Amino acid sequence: MAVNAAGQAASRPRSQDGPDFKPELIQLLTPEGERAEHPDYPLELTAEEIKALYRDLVLVRRIDFEAIALQRQGELGIWASLLGQEAAQVGSGRALQPRDMAFPTYREHGVAWCRGLDPAKLLELFRGVSHGGWDPKAHNIHLYTIVIGAQTLHATGYAMGIQRDGALGEDGEAVIAYFGDGATSQGDVNEAFIWASVNNAPIVFFCQNNQWAISEPLDRQTRIPLYLRAQGFGFPGLRVDGNDVFACLAVTRKALQAAREGQGPTLIEAYTYRMGAHTTTDDPTRYRLSAELESWKLKDPIERVKQYLIRSGLAKEDFFAEISAEADVIGDRVRKACLQMPDRDPLTMFDHIYQEPSPLLAEERAQLASYLSSFAGHADSLAKEGTR
Amino acid sequence: MTTLTISRALNEGLRKAMENDPKVLIMGEDVGKLGGVFRVTDGLAKDFGEDRVIDTPLAESGIVGTAIGLALRGYRPICEIQFDGFVYPAFDQIVSQLAKMAYRSLGKVKLPVVVRIPFGGGIGAVEHHSESPEALFAHTPGLRVVACGDPQDAYAMIQQAVNCDDPVIFFEPKRRYWDKSEVDIAGGLAAAPPIDAARTLVTGDDVTVLCYGPMVRTCIESAAAAAGEDTSVEVIDLRSLSPLDLTTIFTSVRKTGRCVIVHEAPVTGGLGAEIAARITQECFYSLEAPVLRVGGYSIPYPPSRMEEHYLPDLDRVLDAVDRSLSY
Ligand SMILES: Cc1ncc(C[n+]2csc(CCOP(=O)(O)OP(=O)(O)O)c2C)c(N)n1
Ligand SMILES: [Mg+2]
């Protein structure tokens, strides 16, 4: 039998979707917009709640769209688009209680929206004005983490703190850690699974499997469906239709509640697709087929909610027009916030290194100050930059 | 002579290395079909196959750790770390394993592993994409640490690094990837200076300026500007950061009596400190001024809209040259 250098004998299924295994995909709303039921995840939503989810989905897509445009126009250094992942982020984001804590990657703009973080804060990071700069406590969403997987350990430690504070129980607190399919290969993520497991920590590991880690498809990271990995670590795992906002909401709610009540961690694999480039500097035509993209277009997370609202008579054209108009207003607001964002005084780069500045830092700061003032018109140029 | 960018010159060098030795492998994130985020491995997976140009799982510790295992088995792996700030998950494998195995085995084991790292700022990136961690590795005995500064060196040095039986941490000046100049491909490696030799790029009598990587171009431009004001600056590209080519450095400083060391990395605890100490010790009676350092401040790399104020540039190099001359 032929064996290639990767050691793959022809008879061994290599991909996670081998012939003898069909992973269960939890779904409560089909791509056609039909409501499905699942015995473990009963979900009752009022018309208002469904409309609110629809609004979230549309608005975060609009913010994302605006940010991409701003990057193209040179106003942002880079942008990591959430296109296609709106339902995974809004569904899980709306499952959180205000007291819960979220640990995002760099792509969780939809989660940030649900937590109430001003989108301008995200632009600040991608424009290069700050490294984030928001107070994680203000909306219980931690800073974006760019180093792949690192935040899963922080989230786990935070959850261990909740245990020690005795903040568990029906009205207790829980933590959600976001990460991608690629991140599951990192040591940090696997260590987080172990820590969470042996400590029975109140945490939900929310993996958005968008099928790609930049140019590397899922099969570079795994041979089994990612959610099955949880078993080996000793806690439950499940796969949800990541483009189904109802299902994402239901499974995350349940997992968070289990965590709160002392039942330990859950791994949720939200099965979705990165519809755009990895970031604005990436060119996906170099490594993936457009046919794949086309097939995922049919599973669009927003369109199915719209279809459901129409079919069930819960919303009419005026509602959709109203949301679309609101999206434009928010798009405008985001654009203005970006264009009017002042640059920081270069001397502030010396702030917050330590709680108290060291003599060396004070000296370096003074050096830069005198160096800058040696250039005539420095103040003018700063003022100009501020309005650029 | 062929005109190439640094990115392309590295690509050609890697291609040569792979043609010359079937044991040479490339491994890293997105190095296959994509050809790396800076296109340094562009086309290599297609030409040499995915068994030799390996898109690895997303884990830097795994990349370097398995490269060590492959090297133990007789391969010569070239690891690509996507950005400077992402080498730290592999730090343990590099510092405790890669650097020490020859020593621990009393020379019975050799690890011809190359770890390529695009480094430095100036590209308007978000955090962790603009760092200069070379001193961390230069501080680790057992590693060779080198940096290329132009296409010719990129082409030759990457091949020399692959041929070298020691582990090599190979720094590439990210913001200069698209700088173009002439590369002697036909001449092969015979004409290239050894990988551990510094190179004098501009000769001068008044001040010695030491630099490497992205600062090479900055310092050459500074020397040209200084020449316009009748100051004769000697620019030396260190190339090898560990071990250092101290002979070349001392010879120049004994001639000029003045020295400015330039790097993007923070001055505090940086490579410049090591070099300044050596110069002070060995050239004390030739010095007309204290050795000065130009580099990053003692802060994390700042957000990109402030980076121009953080990074050493022509003005800051000239300012240091003037200060040196004012003693
Ligand atoms: C430790 C580390 N290594 C490499 C990178 C560069 N990088 C940024 S995103 C990315 C792919 C991440 O894929 P995945 O976890 O699936 O998340 P996605 O981007 O698809 O949301 C890589 C390799 C990084 N940010 N951190
Ligand atoms: Mg992914």
Side-chain angles (χ1 to χ4, degrees):
Chain A
M1 179 166 50
V3 175
N4 67 14
Q8 293 137 16
S11 67
R12 273 174 92 184
R14 178 162 186 278
S15 108
Q16 65 290 341
D17 294 319
D20 32 3
F21 183 78
K22 192 98 184 86
E24 194 206 354
L25 185 74
I26 296 163
Q27 195 176 65
L28 299 180
L29 186 64
T30 68
E32 293 73 34
E34 276 158 25
R35 191 71 166 78
E37 295 297 335
H38 191 290
D40 297 333
Y41 302 99
L43 180 72
E44 288 194 23
L45 294 170
T46 64
E48 285 321 302
E49 284 170 328
I50 297 170
K51 286 179 175 173
L53 288 171
Y54 177 81
R55 172 177 175 271
D56 285 337
L57 294 169
V58 170
L59 297 191
V60 299
R61 182 172 287 184
R62 185 65 177 82
I63 292 166
D64 190 77
F65 181 81
E66 199 63 42
I68 294 172
L70 284 163
Q71 195 280 339
R72 298 258 180 273
Q73 293 151 10
E75 297 296 338
L76 298 180
I78 193 171
W79 181 254
S81 168
L82 62 43
L83 190 65
Q85 299 176 219
E86 296 88 349
Q89 297 192 12
V90 167
S92 60
R94 288 299 177 203
L96 292 164
Q97 296 291 333
R99 61 186 181 276
D100 295 334
M101 188 69 186
F103 286 81
T105 71
Y106 41 81
R107 206 187 287 288
E108 265 70 75
H109 322 312
V111 179
W113 168 261
C114 293
R115 299 309 277 161
L117 188 76
D118 181 355
K121 280 289 168 196
L122 306 178
L123 300 186
E124 210 176 289
L125 187 158
F126 288 99
R127 187 172 164 86
V129 171
S130 79
H131 292 320
W134 64 83
D135 176 2
K137 288 212 186 77
H139 299 280
N140 275 4
I141 178 162
H142 189 69
L143 295 169
Y144 273 12
T145 298
I146 290 173
V147 177
I148 299 294
Q151 76 283 0
T152 58
L153 280 168
H154 311 155
T156 303
Y158 191 98
M160 289 164 62
I162 291 175
Q163 287 177 307
R164 276 153 187 74
D165 290 346
L168 293 178
E170 209 180 322
D171 299 321
E173 297 174 42
V175 177
I176 191 164
Y178 288 91
F179 54 101
D181 44 295
T184 61
S185 295
Q186 282 286 8
D188 278 6
V189 174
N190 289 273
E191 289 171 23
F193 289 171
I194 291 167
W195 252 254
S197 174
V198 300
N199 289 288
N200 205 39
I203 183 168
V204 174
F205 292 108
F206 196 92
C207 176
Q208 286 168 81
N209 176 358
N210 63 7
Q211 316 299 326
W212 293 91
I214 310 188
S215 74
E216 297 198 13
L218 190 61
D219 69 5
R220 299 312 305 161
Q221 320 289 346
T222 190
R223 283 177 61 163
I224 60 161
L226 292 171
Y227 76 95
L228 290 181
R229 291 215 184 143
Q231 226 174 66
F233 288 95
F235 52 87
L238 58 91
R239 179 183 279 185
V240 63
D241 181 345
N243 288 13
D244 171 354
V245 71
F246 292 178
C248 288
L249 176 69
V251 300
T252 313
R253 245 186 209 166
K254 188 167 173 179
L256 284 167
Q257 199 53 29
R260 263 191 271 282
E261 292 175 5
Q263 294 168 46
T266 303
L267 170 62
I268 296 173
E269 177 190 2
Y271 204 73
T272 179
Y273 194 75
R274 195 193 79 207
M275 296 297 285
H278 170 69
T279 64
T280 43
T281 59
D282 177 41
D283 172 12
T285 62
R286 288 177 69 97
Y287 55 81
R288 69 183 192 186
L289 299 170
S290 57
E292 191 180 77
L293 188 72
E294 292 307 314
S295 79
W296 277 92
K297 267 188 193 155
L298 304 174
K299 302 178 192 168
D300 185 70
I302 301 186
E303 191 54 30
R304 67 176 79 183
V305 182
K306 184 171 185 182
Q307 288 311 318
Y308 178 75
L309 283 169
I310 293 173
R311 270 188 216 187
S312 52
L314 295 176
K316 300 225 161 33
E317 208 32 66
D318 56 340
F319 167 74
F320 299 112
E322 186 188 307
I323 297 296
S324 157
E326 186 183 2
D328 286 340
V329 170
I330 289 191
D332 269 2
R333 202 192 299 158
V334 164
R335 164 163 297 267
K336 282 213 187 74
C338 183
L339 299 182
Q340 293 170 358
M341 192 176 295
D343 274 331
R344 284 161 58 199
D345 183 326
L347 295 178
T348 62
M349 74 167 98
F350 293 98
D351 296 346
H352 311 295
I353 313 295
Y354 305 119
Q355 303 306 317
E356 299 289 336
S358 70
L360 176 66
L361 283 167
E363 186 190 316
E364 289 183 359
R365 186 192 171 102
Q367 268 169 19
L368 179 60
S370 88
Y371 182 74
L372 290 174
S373 64
S374 73
F375 292 96
H378 160 63
D380 296 350
S381 80
L382 257 189
K384 235 190 294 148
E385 269 177 42
T387 56
R388 169 165 92 194
Chain B
M1 288 285 184
T2 324
T3 306
L4 297 178
T5 62
I6 287 186
S7 169
R8 194 71 215 172
L10 287 164
N11 181 274
E12 295 294 340
L14 289 168
R15 177 177 292 279
K16 264 267 156 36
M18 295 197 76
E19 279 165 4
N20 290 345
D21 184 351
K23 295 288 188 190
V24 173
L25 306 175
I26 292 177
M27 44 204 294
E29 294 153 12
D30 307 291
V31 297
K33 249 192 198 141
L34 184 65
V37 296
F38 294 106
R39 307 295 183 258
V40 171
T41 57
D42 188 24
L44 298 179
K46 190 164 138 274
D47 295 345
F48 296 97
E50 292 183 5
D51 290 339
R52 288 189 68 196
V53 182
I54 308 164
D55 266 338
T56 66
L58 205 178
E60 289 75 12
S61 177
I63 294 170
V64 176
T66 57
I68 291 172
L70 282 157
L72 291 171
R73 182 74 193 183
Y75 287 87
R76 302 185 87 87
I78 307 166
C79 303
E80 174 174 302
I81 301 295
Q82 201 161 78
F83 284 88
D84 34 58
F86 306 140
V87 70
Y88 308 118
F91 202 59
D92 172 64
Q93 287 291 344
I94 295 175
V95 169
S96 297
Q97 305 299 331
L98 186 59
K100 295 190 171 95
M101 226 173 267
Y103 188 69
R104 286 162 59 208
S105 68
L106 295 178
K108 291 172 193 70
V109 170
K110 56 181 186 186
L111 294 179
V113 175
V114 178
V115 181
R116 294 182 35 240
I117 308 176
F119 83 128
I123 62 162
V126 289
E127 57 179 344
H128 314 296
H129 292 71
S130 302
E131 305 195 351
S132 299
E134 62 273 14
L136 300 176
F137 299 102
H139 190 61
T140 303
L143 299 175
R144 285 184 180 275
V145 183
V146 304
C148 59
D150 63 26
Q152 174 62 47
D153 268 356
Y155 175 71
M157 286 172 75
I158 190 63
Q159 295 179 69
Q160 292 170 322
V162 174
N163 294 341
C164 176
D165 281 342
D166 299 317
V168 180
I169 310 298
F170 192 95
F171 283 101
E172 301 170 1
K174 183 191 303 153
R175 70 162 132 153
R176 309 291 189 212
Y177 268 136
W178 315 116
D179 281 12
K180 272 188 194 162
S181 60
E182 299 281 284
V183 177
D184 180 10
I185 291 201
L189 292 185
I195 192 168
D196 54 0
R199 213 151 56 99
T200 305
L201 301 179
V202 180
T203 30
D205 301 316
D206 297 337
V207 183
T208 299
V209 171
L210 305 176
C211 56
Y212 53 89
M215 286 293 103
V216 170
R217 193 177 109 189
T218 306
C219 292
I220 292 176
E221 289 167 2
S222 304
E229 291 167 18
D230 279 342
T231 302
S232 166
V233 172
E234 178 144 300
V235 179
I236 296 177
D237 177 358
L238 294 174
R239 300 168 84 250
S240 178
L241 312 183
S242 181
L244 285 162
D245 176 2
L246 293 169
T247 310
T248 302
I249 296 172
F250 294 160
T251 306
S252 173
V253 175
R254 288 195 183 110
K255 176 177 73 174
T256 61
R258 301 172 200 274
C259 182
V260 172
I261 307 163
V262 184
H263 51 58
E264 284 189 19
V267 162
T268 302
L271 211 64
E274 171 64 26
I275 299 169
R278 301 250 171 213
I279 292 173
T280 307
Q281 201 171 317
E282 297 299 322
C283 310
F284 189 67
Y285 293 106
S286 314
L287 286 175
E288 306 282 345
V291 179
L292 298 180
R293 292 172 292 163
V294 179
Y297 299 112
S298 307
I299 65 172
Y301 198 88
S304 62
R305 287 180 77 87
M306 296 186 186
E307 69 184 342
E308 64 171 306
H309 298 293
Y310 172 88
L311 290 168
D313 58 6
L314 183 137
D315 285 327
R316 267 167 68 188
V317 174
L318 289 179
D319 176 64
V321 165
D322 286 347
R323 278 188 288 131
S324 176
L325 285 166
S326 73
Y327 278 89

